Amino acid sequence: MINRLLAYLGRHLDRQLLTLVSLLLVIGLITLYSASGTSLERVGAQLANISVALVVMWVAANVPLHYLSRIALPLYVLGLLLLVAVDLVGEIVNGAQRWLDLGFTRIQPSELMKIAVPLMLAWYFDRYEAVLKMSNFVVGAILLGVPVLLIAKQPDLGTALLVAAAGFYVLFLAGLSWKILIGLVVLGAASVPFLWSMLHDYQRQRVLTLLDPSQDPLGAGYHTIQSSIALGSGGLFGKGWLNGTQAHLDFLPERTTDFIFAVYGEEFGLLGNLVLLALFLVVIARGLVISANAPTLFTRLLAGAITLTLFTYVFVNIGMVAGILPVVGVPLPLISYGGTSLVTILFGVGLLMSIQTHRRLVQT
Amino acid sequence: MKRAVELRNHQRELYYYQIRLAIAGAVVLVAFLMLFTRFVYLQVVQHDYYHLLAEQNRVQIVPVVPNRGVIVDRNGVTLANNFAAYTLEITPAQVKNVNAVIDELARLVDITPKDRRRFQKLREVSPDFAGIPIRTRLNDEEVARFAVHRFRHPGVELNARLFRHYPNSEIASHVVGYIGRVSERDYLDLQRQGLGFNYSKSDYIGKVGLEARYEAQLRGVTGFEHVETDANGRSVRTLRSILPVPGDNLLLALDAKLQRVAEQAFGDHRGALVAIEPATGGVLALVSRPGFDPNLFVEGIEPAHWEALNKSPDHPLNNRAWQGVYPPGSTFKPFMALAGLELGKRTPSYSISDPGYFVLGSGGHVFRDWKAGGHGRVDMHLAIVQSCDTYFYGLAQDLGIDAIHQFIGQFGLGQRTGIDIDGEVGGLLPSQEWKQRRFKQKWFVGDTISVGIGQGYNLTTPLQLAHATAVLANNGRIFRPHVVQHIQDSQTRELTTIEPQPIGQVEFKEQNLRLIREAMVDVMRPGGTAAWAGSGAKYAFAGKTGTAQVIGLRGQKYDEDRIHERHRDHALFIAFAPAEDPKIALGILVENGGHGSSTAAPIARKVVDYYLLGIEPKPPAPPAPRPARTVAAAAAEAAPSPAAPPQEPAAAAADNDGGGE
C-alpha cells in the first residue's frame, strides 16, 4: 500500500537526479552545521527551506509539459511588470532596489526571472521552430535584454548576468549562428571600456580587487583573501569537520551563504572539493542527457538552459570563493543557506524531472 | 508541405542541437577543470603559505611583560616599585578611524594632547593588532565610565598594567634613575646585544642610574602567550603560554633615611655628597642636589617639565656626585702629607716658618697662602689643621709631580672608582706624561706647586673624594664602591650577595696614618678650620675642609659678599668617623658654597650625627615662597646658625690664590 503510494508520488521523479540532489543537500546541511557554529537552529531552518523546495520540485516535476509552455508568456509578463514595479516603488536594501513589498511578504522579482526568461525564450523559439530566422534571434535578444537591463539597473549585476546567461544558453542551443556568436564576443571585448564606465564604483572595485586582492585587504579584498586562506589552509584532506579555524573564528564573511564553499573546502580539503565537483558534474551531465533526449524543442531548450544555468551558479560561486571570479552575490546551489535559492534551483530540477519523466510516459 | 519540411529537418536539427549541447558540455568540463586546477594550486602548491596565513590569522603571539624587580635600601625601604593601574588601549587593526575613536573616548575620560602624542609615537612602532595605550592610570571613576560604554567601542579595551613608581620622588633620584619607553637607539643596542627578543618597542627600559645599570637583572624575561583570536581580534582562548620570569630585586647598601637626611641637609644648595662604609665599600648615601622627580620620566616627560628641568640654572639633571668634576682643593692635603711622610720628604716634626707666601726658586713666582701674613711656624700637623698652603707648596715642590701622581693615584683620585652605576667620569690627577700627551708641553715646576694644594690641573668627583677618604680610613685597603649589596631572585627570594672584595692596598706605615688621622680630628676641634662644625661631637670626627675656585680673580681680593653667588667658590669637605674605627667616610661638595667649613662641614656633621648616633636633624623650616631672595639671606639660611662664625672666616677660601695670579 505504502509502496504503491510512494511509487505513485515518485513516478515523475528522476531517480538519478533525486539521489544526487539528496546527496548534495545532505552535504550542504553538514557544512551548514559547521559554518553556523554548530547552530541546530540554522540547520532546522534550512531543513524547513528544503522541505518547501522539495514540494516545489515535486509539483514542478508533476506539471505536464503543455501546461508549462502555457504559463511561459504570462510568467514572463508578470516578471517584467514586477521588475518595473520594483524600479518605481521597490524597497531599498543595502543600497540596491531589489525587493518588492507585497504587504505579507517581500519578493525579489529578479529571482523569478531566472526561470521565467529561459522559459519564455524556449517557448518563443519553440513557437517558431520550423521557420527560425535571424529576426527571431533579434526578438529573442530583446526579450532577454529588457529584463536583464532592468535587473542591472537595480543594481544587481550578479543576477543580471545570471539571467543573461540563462537566456543566452537558450539562444545558443536554439542555433544562434556562429558568426553572430563570434561577432558578439568581439563586440563584447570592444565594449569593455564602455561597460567599465557604466559600472558602479562598488562593481568596479570588485573587479579590481579580483586582480589584486591584497590592495585592500580589510576592504574589498577581504572576502577573497580570507576565502583563499580557508581553502589553501585546508590542504589535501582538510582540517576536519568542525575544525576549520577560518570559519569558526569569524574570519570568513557570509560563511553560511555565499561563502559556504570556503568552509567546506577548509574542512574537507582538496579531496572533499573533488567529491563536490564530481557530484555537480554528474547532475549537470544528467541534465544535458535529459535535454538531449527531450521530445520537443521547447523542452530541449528549457532543459539545456536550466542545466547550464545550474552550472553557471556552481562555477560562478566556486570561482568567486576560489578567487578567480569577482565577488558577486551568487549562492552555491543546494549547499548555501537560504530559501529563495533553494526553491529556484529545485524548481528547475523539478522541471528537468518533468521533461524526463513525461517524455518517458509519452514514449511508453 | 510544412510538415514535410519539419520531418525532413527534425533529425538534422536534433543532431545540430546535440552538437551544441556537446560543446556546452565541453565548456562545463573545461570550467570544472579550471576550478580543480585552482584548488590544486591553493590547497597543494600554496598550502604551506596559506596554512601559515591561517595560523597568523588565528594565533597572535602576545608578549607578556615581566614584573620589573623592585629596588629597596639596606633597611627595606622601597625606592622603586610597581603598582597596577588601568590603561585604556586601542587596537588599531580593529578600529576604522582611530582619531574618531580617540575623540569619542575623550568624552568619557580625560585625554590630553600628551596622551595623543604618546599614542601616535607608540603606534608607529607597534604592530596593528597590539593594544596601544591612549590613557594610562585611569582613576576608578573613569574606569567605571568607560566600562558602561564599553560595548560601543569595539577595539578599545581596559587593561590592568603595572607602572613603575618612585615613592620617594626626589630622594636618591640620581642613584635610582628611571625607566622610559624603549627608544629607537635603545632597541638597536638591545638587538646588537642579542636582547631584542626580550623587548618590544613599546616596552620600558632603564635609562639612568641603577635602573639602567641593572637593567638585565631588573627586567626579567618576557613571556609569550599564543592567543587564538577571532576576526575582530578578540582573544578566544590561550593556546600556549610561556610565563614571564619576573626581574630580580635590588637590595642596596644605600640607607634611604641617611640619604634623606643628607639631601635635606643641603637645603637650597647645589652639590653632592657621597658616604661610603669604609670596611666594605658599600655606598651609604649618594647625593646630587638638586634632584628631580623620576616619576615624571616614566611615561615620557612632558615638554613643560622637560624644559623646566633643562633650563633651570640649578641643572637638576646634572649628576654632580659621579659625573661632576671639581678641583679637590685642600681636601687633597692629607693625601699630600701622607705622601710626604711615606716618601721620606717630610718628618712629622719638620716645620717651616710661613711668611704668608711661597717663592718658587730665587726671585721666582710667588704663591700666596690663604692667610695673609702667614701661619707662623707650621709643622705637618698644624699644616693640616690650619690648612696651611705654604707648607704644601714646599712639599709639592720636593715631591715632584710624578711622585704625587704615583702615590695619590693609589687612592683613586682622578680615576673611575668602578662604582656600579653607569656614566662615572674619571677626573684628572696630572702627571708629566699627561701634560705632554694632552698639551704637547713640558711640565713646569710651577704646575706642581698649585697641584700640591689640590688646585691646578686636579679634577676629582665627589665620589672619588669619598672613595679616597674611605681608603685612607680603612688603612689603605681599597674596596670598589658599590650601591647594590644583594640581588634577590624574586621567585625563590634567594639572595646573591655582592661580596665586598678588596681590590688593592695602599701601603703606608701605621704611625704615618695616625698622624694624618689625628690632624684631621683636630681640624674639627678648636683651632682647626672646621672647629665650628665639629663642636660638641660625641665621637672622634676626622675631617678636612677644601675650597675650589670657580672664577679667576685676576689679582683682585676675594670678597664673598661682593661676588655673584654663582661665581663663589665651591666648598669641599672630606671626613670619616669615628676616627679610630671608621664606620662612614664622606666626600662633600657644595657648589658656590664659599668655603668648606661654613657649608660643607655642617652637612657632614648632620649626616654623621644621624648615622652614628641616630640624631635626626630638626625638620627644615617649611619652604616659603621667596621670589626676591637675596644672596646674603640664602647664605644665612644655609648656615645652621649664623650667629656662630667659623673660627677662621676665610678658612680655605684663599687656597685659590695659589694659582690665581
Side-chain angles (χ1 to χ4, degrees):
Chain A
M1 178 68 197
I2 289 173
N3 280 346
R4 271 171 67 192
L5 178 69
L6 283 179
Y8 175 77
L9 285 177
R11 83 204 136 103
H12 287 296
L13 299 181
D14 181 68
R15 286 277 161 66
Q16 292 182 39
L17 276 181
L18 190 61
T19 312
L20 291 167
V21 163
S22 305
L23 274 174
L24 285 166
L25 286 174
V26 169
I27 289 177
L29 285 173
I30 289 172
T31 312
L32 178 63
Y33 181 68
S34 175
S36 62
T38 68
S39 158
L40 282 173
E41 207 178 326
R42 256 305 166 81
V43 174
Q46 179 73 344
L47 268 173
N49 290 336
I50 288 174
S51 312
V52 172
L54 283 176
V55 169
V56 169
M57 180 186 83
W58 184 85
V59 170
N62 281 280
V63 172
L65 296 173
H66 56 275
Y67 283 124
L68 211 55
S69 61
R70 235 180 273 162
I71 63 161
L73 183 60
L75 202 63
Y76 177 80
V77 173
L78 175 70
L80 221 49
L81 287 175
L82 288 176
L83 279 179
V84 172
V86 162
D87 194 29
L88 297 176
V89 296
E91 236 181 290
I92 296 177
V93 176
N94 293 333
Q97 209 164 15
R98 296 174 188 173
W99 298 87
L100 199 62
D101 199 341
L102 298 182
F104 59 96
T105 183
R106 291 189 314 175
I107 59 166
Q108 214 177 340
S110 53
E111 202 62 34
L112 176 67
M113 291 313 260
K114 285 178 181 170
I115 292 293
V117 165
L119 203 60
M120 174 66 196
L121 285 171
W123 174 80
Y124 174 76
F125 284 113
D126 184 64
R127 231 175 107 87
Y128 296 93
E129 185 189 4
V131 288
L132 270 184
K133 284 186 300 232
M134 189 58 203
S135 61
N136 294 115
F137 285 100
V138 174
V139 174
I142 292 168
L143 287 175
L144 173 58
V146 172
V148 166
L149 284 177
L150 279 173
I151 296 169
K153 193 169 167 284
Q154 287 181 348
D156 187 352
L157 198 64
T159 308
L161 284 174
L162 288 174
V163 171
F168 169 78
Y169 293 141
V170 179
L171 294 183
F172 171 74
L173 294 174
L176 187 60
S177 136
W178 285 106
K179 280 179 204 159
I180 294 175
L181 273 175
I182 293 164
L184 276 177
V185 169
V186 173
L187 195 72
S191 66
V192 162
F194 172 71
L195 282 176
W196 182 254
S197 68
M198 295 275 286
L199 289 178
H200 283 257
D201 279 346
Y202 86 97
Q203 291 164 336
R204 282 184 206 168
Q205 195 58 51
R206 282 180 179 180
V207 177
L208 285 178
T209 303
L210 179 77
L211 299 175
D212 185 9
S214 60
Q215 285 229 325
D216 188 8
L218 288 177
Y222 184 79
H223 287 58
T224 308
I225 290 175
Q226 295 300 344
S227 65
S228 295
I229 292 175
L231 286 179
S233 64
L236 211 51
F237 302 107
K239 295 178 183 169
W241 188 46
L242 301 181
N243 285 329
T245 55
Q246 284 287 102
H248 289 275
L249 296 172
D250 256 1
F251 286 101
L252 276 175
E254 293 164 62
R255 60 188 179 282
T256 60
T257 54
D258 290 358
F259 278 82
I260 195 165
F261 179 72
V263 179
Y264 177 84
E266 185 183 17
E267 298 190 348
F268 299 107
L270 183 66
L271 224 59
N273 290 352
L274 204 55
V275 169
L276 197 70
L277 278 188
L279 282 174
F280 276 121
L281 200 59
V282 177
V283 170
I284 290 160
R286 179 70 190 153
L288 292 180
V289 167
I290 289 173
S291 169
N293 296 331
T296 62
L297 183 60
F298 171 66
T299 50
R300 253 181 265 153
L301 292 177
L302 187 58
I306 288 171
T307 307
L308 291 176
T309 307
L310 182 76
F311 153 73
T312 309
Y313 281 29
V314 173
F315 180 69
V316 169
N317 177 276
I318 296 183
M320 154 185 103
V321 172
I324 56 173
L325 291 178
V327 176
V328 284
V330 177
L332 183 60
L334 305 173
I335 308 289
S336 284
Y337 175 82
T340 315
S341 149
L342 261 181
V343 168
T344 314
I345 298 294
L346 285 184
F347 180 65
V349 172
L351 291 182
L352 282 179
M353 288 176 169
S354 168
I355 290 164
Q356 170 69 6
T357 56
H358 284 98
R359 179 187 64 87
R360 199 174 57 218
L361 291 180
V362 168
Q363 273 180 343
T364 47
Chain B
M1 176 67 195
K2 187 184 172 196
R3 190 171 168 76
V5 173
E6 215 176 291
L7 278 176
R8 199 182 58 214
N9 289 341
H10 189 74
Q11 282 306 317
R12 235 177 87 193
E13 262 173 33
L14 190 61
Y15 173 69
Y16 279 132
Y17 179 76
Q18 285 173 349
I19 284 183
R20 292 224 164 190
L21 263 190
I23 291 169
V27 169
V28 169
L29 267 179
V30 168
F32 273 42
L33 212 61
M34 266 169 67
L35 289 180
F36 182 70
T37 313
R38 176 70 176 170
F39 293 155
V40 171
Y41 174 75
L42 286 178
Q43 300 189 295
V44 178
V45 180
Q46 293 275 67
H47 170 65
D48 289 345
Y49 169 69
Y50 284 112
H51 177 71
L52 187 73
L53 285 188
E55 284 295 300
Q56 281 173 354
N57 248 351
R58 181 172 83 98
V59 180
Q60 287 175 2
I61 298 178
V62 181
V64 185
V65 179
N67 286 0
R68 196 174 176 84
V70 300
I71 302 177
V72 297
D73 87 333
R74 60 162 53 206
N75 299 315
V77 176
T78 303
L79 296 172
N81 60 2
N82 310 302
F83 74 97
Y86 279 105
T87 63
L88 200 56
E89 297 178 3
I90 300 177
T91 307
Q94 301 165 24
V95 169
K96 272 215 181 101
N97 183 343
V98 172
N99 286 328
V101 170
I102 295 175
D103 290 338
E104 277 173 46
L105 292 175
R107 269 182 256 150
L108 296 175
V109 300
D110 218 22
I111 291 173
T112 62
K114 181 197 168 196
D115 290 326
R116 285 175 193 256
R117 276 197 302 278
R118 180 190 51 217
F119 181 85
Q120 289 308 336
K121 247 192 237 165
L122 287 175
R123 197 180 163 188
E124 283 160 23
V125 300
S126 306
D128 260 7
F129 61 76
I132 299 169
I134 177 69
R135 249 303 298 278
T136 55
R137 307 180 196 200
L138 277 78
N139 61 36
D140 289 349
E141 198 196 323
E142 288 173 321
V143 168
R145 223 173 317 144
F146 175 75
V148 172
H149 294 275
R150 176 179 256 156
F151 67 95
R152 277 204 240 152
H153 300 287
V156 183
E157 273 185 65
L158 210 51
N159 282 319
R161 301 262 185 241
L162 286 177
F163 289 93
R164 197 62 161 172
H165 182 57
Y166 305 102
N168 295 303
S169 178
E170 277 201 19
I171 303 297
S173 49
H174 286 102
V175 186
V176 174
Y178 51 83
I179 61 171
R181 299 273 183 187
V182 172
S183 70
E184 201 60 40
R185 238 181 72 197
D186 292 334
Y187 198 71
L188 289 177
D189 284 347
L190 288 167
Q191 281 183 327
R192 213 167 302 132
Q193 295 165 45
L195 291 171
F197 73 93
N198 207 15
Y199 294 82
S200 72
K201 285 180 176 176
S202 55
D203 268 341
Y204 296 94
I205 188 170
K207 298 278 190 184
V208 170
L210 292 173
E211 292 273 33
R213 175 56 174 262
Y214 286 92
E215 172 67 22
Q217 287 79 9
L218 290 165
R219 166 77 185 176
V221 183
T222 304
F224 290 97
E225 267 183 357
H226 296 234
V227 179
E228 187 172 60
T229 54
D230 64 16
N232 295 319
R234 274 179 249 280
S235 50
V236 178
R237 64 193 160 130
T238 301
L239 299 174
R240 197 157 78 97
S241 63
I242 302 160
L243 287 176
V245 180
D248 295 339
N249 300 327
L250 298 185
L251 278 56
L252 307 188
L254 197 91
D255 183 333
K257 197 78 189 290
L258 182 73
Q259 176 92 13
R260 183 180 291 274
V261 167
E263 295 203 13
Q264 283 169 354
F266 270 84
D268 287 337
H269 282 294
R270 299 174 302 283
L273 175 147
V274 180
I276 294 177
E277 187 174 57
T280 62
V283 176
L284 299 170
L286 195 47
V287 175
S288 174
R289 291 283 297 173
F292 55 89
D293 182 358
N295 293 303
L296 295 177
F297 287 86
V298 175
E299 286 303 309
I301 189 159
E302 284 184 51
H305 283 138
W306 176 246
E307 195 153 314
L309 285 173
N310 250 340
K311 294 220 170 132
S312 163
D314 291 344
H315 301 295
L317 294 179
N318 285 5
N319 180 346
R320 294 163 165 89
W322 62 95
Q323 292 180 334
V325 288
Y326 308 85
S330 297
T331 60
F332 200 64
K333 286 173 181 167
F335 302 97
M336 281 292 293
L338 191 60
L341 292 170
E342 280 298 315
L343 301 175
K345 297 293 182 192
R346 289 291 182 272
T347 61
S349 54
Y350 174 88
S351 65
I352 61 160
S353 179
D354 171 22
Y357 55 87
F358 173 84
V359 182
L360 180 58
S362 53
H365 195 94
V366 173
F367 293 86
R368 272 189 261 165
D369 196 288
W370 62 269
K371 190 174 180 183
H375 298 269
R377 184 141 294 272
V378 181
D379 64 1
M380 181 174 279
H381 181 88
L382 196 64
I384 293 173
V385 172
Q386 295 200 349
S387 200
C388 171
D389 290 341
T390 310
Y391 183 93
F392 286 100
Y393 291 144
L395 176 55
Q397 187 184 11
D398 291 352
L399 279 168
I401 187 61
D402 284 346
I404 294 172
H405 175 85
Q406 195 277 325
F407 185 84
I408 295 181
Q410 297 179 84
F411 289 87
L413 290 178
Q415 9 175 325
R416 292 192 181 88
T417 63
I419 192 173
D420 51 346
I421 299 191
D422 291 340
E424 188 191 8
V425 299
L428 178 62
L429 188 62
S431 65
Q432 291 198 43
E433 185 264 335
W434 167 81
K435 191 176 178 191
Q436 189 61 46
R437 181 158 38 83
R438 176 73 179 77
F439 294 113
K440 310 256 180 289
Q441 264 181 30
K442 203 171 154 288
W443 183 271
F444 300 110
V445 186
D447 296 332
T448 312
I449 307 305
S450 42
V451 166
I453 60 161
Q455 304 285 350
Y457 293 118
N458 262 332
L459 286 173
T460 58
T461 63
L463 172 64
Q464 285 166 15
L465 284 180
H467 176 58
T469 308
V471 172
L472 189 71
N474 200 33
N475 295 315
R477 266 158 64 98
I478 306 168
F479 287 99
R480 192 192 307 281
H482 59 94
V483 183
V484 176
Q485 201 162 34
H486 310 283
I487 295 174
Q488 183 185 43
D489 187 309
S490 55
Q491 284 175 311
T492 63
R493 300 271 143 199
E494 218 171 280
L495 289 182
T496 309
T497 302
I498 298 171
E499 297 291 345
Q501 294 231 331
I503 53 170
Q505 173 77 41
V506 187
E507 297 295 342
F508 46 76
K509 294 192 194 75
E510 168 63 25
Q511 77 255 28
N512 291 342
L513 174 64
R514 198 183 312 133
L515 188 154
I516 305 296
R517 193 165 60 210
E518 282 165 4
M520 285 176 72
V521 169
D522 283 344
V523 167
M524 310 301 291
R525 288 193 173 142
T529 52
W532 173 76
S535 70
K538 296 192 170 58
Y539 44 84
F541 196 0
K544 181 70 194 82
T545 55
T547 306
Q549 190 181 359
V550 173
I551 51 165
L553 292 176
R554 303 210 174 102
Q556 288 171 293
K557 194 166 161 29
Y558 179 87
D559 181 351
E560 190 174 297
D561 291 341
R562 281 181 45 210
I563 296 178
H564 189 276
E565 193 207 339
R566 305 251 166 206
H567 292 165
R568 283 195 212 159
D569 294 333
H570 296 325
L572 292 140
F573 192 69
I574 60 170
F576 57 89
E580 62 284 357
D581 178 21
K583 296 276 186 265
I584 183 169
L586 292 169
I588 302 176
L589 163 96
V590 181
E591 276 188 12
N592 313 116
H595 38 79
S597 62
S598 63
T599 51
I603 292 172
R605 175 68 188 275
K606 284 183 191 171
V607 168
V608 179
D609 269 0
Y610 172 75
Y611 189 67
L612 294 181
L613 309 173
I615 300 172
E616 290 189 38
K618 282 177 242 105
R626 300 167 291 233
R629 196 161 56 102
T630 62
V631 169
E637 218 168 80
S641 167
Q647 282 243 323
E648 279 158 316
D655 285 357
N656 327 306
D657 283 6
E661 289 193 30

